[in-house]
Amino acid sequence: MAALDTTQAPVFALDQVPLEPIAAAEGTPCYVYSAPVVSRRLAALQQALADCAWPHAVHYALKANSSLAIARLIRDGGAHADANSIGEIALATRAGFRPDQIVFTGVGKSPQELERAVSLDLKAINAESPGELDRIDALARSQGRRVRVALRVNPDVDAQSHPHISTGLKTSKFGVPLDDAAEVLRARRDAAGLEIIGVHVHVGSQITSLGPLCAAARKVADLAVALRAEGFPLSHLDLGGGLGIVYEQGGDVPTYEAFARALVDVARPTGLTLIVEPGRTLVGPAGVLLARVIDVKPHAGGGRFVVLDAGMTELMRPALYGAFHRIVPVHAADRPLVPCDVVGPVCESSDTFGRVRELPEPHVGDLMAIMDAGAYGAVMSNTYNRRPLPPEVLVEADGSWRVIRRRPTLDDMFALEQA
């Protein structure tokens, strides 16, 4: 379900909307998203879960793409929200999510964040440690409240994805070790400020096999059954997200139907509502990063460097993880294929999008699309080298498009500084 139409048309398009006019109007680098792709993917996931006939809720992981328009599109599609900071909670409420539709996750929640979260009566706060449970309890009692919490459990399961985005091993900073979880909750079952309603697990991102997800889910489900037998009034089993997408041609990921069946099969014996927290899988294939070629120069190895006006400041994943993204010329060109190292303009050798890519011989001014950039793209962009953040554009179902975040001016960038 890649967003970009890569047929042999004279000009590639996003949902039949030409990309060149968007680049001409808004400049490059520029993110462009397809609203129909996001909506279709969310609807397909929800249908797969509904077909399993078990109580469930989809909480979109805002960290994947927290643009206000994308969050509102997800809300309009019937999903709820998973937030990792007070900033994401504020974004979620601005997008129209009710507090009782928001789960607050995050490995390190500051005192200010916890105080605000406790006051909001969220669906749940996913606590990461015994100490965090105690801090939530103290804040809740000080506010005369009882706060719904779930405990994040570390199952010591290898997600088999990149080490930087694997979160379920015992060496990871996330959650409470599985063997300690029951005792942590027993010690706090009478805490006046806590209503313990769930257990939570998330083993990582860009998962391409159901094995790790199911292994972690079964461990946490067994814990939930044991806790319910002890009288804990659990209401949900939060099995996280992490389902990957296909970045390289020929790659494979589980279908939504297989994903839903596997997790519902684990949740059903517990009697608990299933919560899933997808992010990348909903928005990743819906976005492209547009960039222009600003230089082409010989490569010592016999190829050439193709320098784009986008770099690691706009899309950090290749520099941070060595992540692969397809790179496609927007205009079909009858030119010979040549080996290219596609790089950015930032003053770092790691500012590279792809090495030895076979592309139609690039010329300065060519418009390129970096594919599957809807997740962990704009949301991780930064202003290193004093580069303004890229604008974001949303293509609507009727073929129109609109700017959903403008490019900051230099005055915008300097507005918070004093000499």
Side-chain angles (χ1 to χ4, degrees), residues 57-378:
V58 174
H59 283 254
Y60 168 64
L62 288 162
K63 65 179 181 175
N65 184 322
S66 60
S67 298
L68 178 61
I70 296 294
R72 192 164 285 165
L73 182 65
I74 294 284
R75 182 214 62 187
D76 291 346
H80 297 175
D82 167 67
N84 266 263
S85 69
I86 282 297
E88 287 189 352
I89 291 175
L91 182 283
T93 56
R94 185 167 291 194
F97 294 100
R98 301 189 312 268
D100 66 354
Q101 295 176 322
I102 302 170
V103 169
F104 184 22
T105 308
V107 70
K109 307 176 187 74
S110 72
Q112 295 78 17
E113 287 183 309
L114 283 178
E115 183 174 14
R116 177 61 176 154
V118 164
S119 74
L120 290 175
D121 195 26
L122 303 176
K123 180 180 180 69
I125 299 176
N126 287 339
E128 287 273 343
S129 70
E132 188 167 90
L133 282 168
D134 293 340
R135 289 188 288 275
I136 295 169
D137 177 41
L139 285 166
R141 287 185 285 107
S142 73
Q143 295 182 22
R145 296 176 178 273
R146 197 156 184 252
V147 175
R148 293 181 291 273
V149 297
L151 181 65
R152 180 167 183 174
V153 176
N154 187 318
D156 194 23
V157 169
D158 185 356
Q160 299 173 18
S161 59
H162 193 283
H164 292 181
I165 52 177
S166 294
T167 60
L169 288 169
K170 63 183 178 182
T171 53
S172 302
K173 64 182 180 179
F174 300 92
V176 171
L178 178 67
D179 291 343
D180 299 340
E183 186 54 42
V184 166
L185 292 177
R186 290 186 195 114
R188 292 158 181 82
R189 73 184 303 161
D190 297 323
L194 301 180
E195 182 182 356
I196 300 167
I197 65 166
V199 288
H200 171 231
V201 68
H202 177 71
V203 296
S205 187
Q206 186 49 21
I207 295 171
T208 58
S209 167
L210 290 176
L213 286 174
C214 292
R218 284 190 291 268
K219 289 185 177 185
V220 177
D222 289 345
L223 171 66
V225 169
L227 291 171
R228 292 195 82 188
E230 294 183 26
F232 282 90
L234 303 185
S235 60
H236 73 248
L237 182 68
D238 186 341
L239 298 182
L243 188 62
I245 64 173
V246 175
Y247 285 103
E248 298 189 53
Q249 289 180 330
D252 190 30
V253 296
T255 65
Y256 286 159
E257 290 76 15
F259 172 79
R261 283 196 304 271
L263 295 192
V264 168
D265 284 350
V266 172
R268 200 183 301 274
T270 71
L272 300 174
T273 295
L274 169 65
I275 290 179
V276 293
E277 299 169 350
R280 178 196 315 264
T281 185
L282 299 180
V283 296
V288 297
L289 174 59
L290 297 181
R292 288 203 187 273
V293 176
I294 55 176
D295 198 8
V296 180
K297 58 184 182 178
H299 188 297
R304 63 210 68 203
F305 288 110
V306 178
V307 186
L308 304 182
D309 60 3
M312 61 190 290
T313 43
E314 287 72 40
L315 182 61
M316 189 186 293
R317 295 188 69 253
L320 188 61
Y321 306 133
F324 181 94
H325 286 265
R326 286 178 293 142
I327 303 168
V328 179
V330 169
H331 291 268
D334 186 17
R335 304 174 192 163
L337 293 177
V338 294
C340 301
D341 282 9
V342 183
V343 301
V346 175
C347 192
E348 301 286 344
S349 294
S350 59
D351 184 31
T352 298
F353 288 117
R355 298 191 184 278
V356 197
R357 299 291 183 90
E358 295 284 329
L359 295 172
E361 185 175 17
H363 295 174
V364 170
D366 286 352
L367 184 63
M368 311 295 281
I370 302 175
M371 299 288 291
D372 302 306
Y376 305 104

Side-chain angles (χ1 to χ4, degrees), residues 13-19 22 31-38 70 73 286 392-404:
L14 188 69
D15 291 325
Q16 289 73 54
V17 176
L19 294 171
I22 296 176
Y31 277 94
V32 186
Y33 309 117
S34 164
V37 169
V38 175
I70 296 294
L73 182 65
E392 296 173 81
V393 168
L394 186 66
V395 172
E396 305 281 10
D398 63 2
S400 64
W401 60 270
R402 61 190 177 94
V403 177
I404 59 174

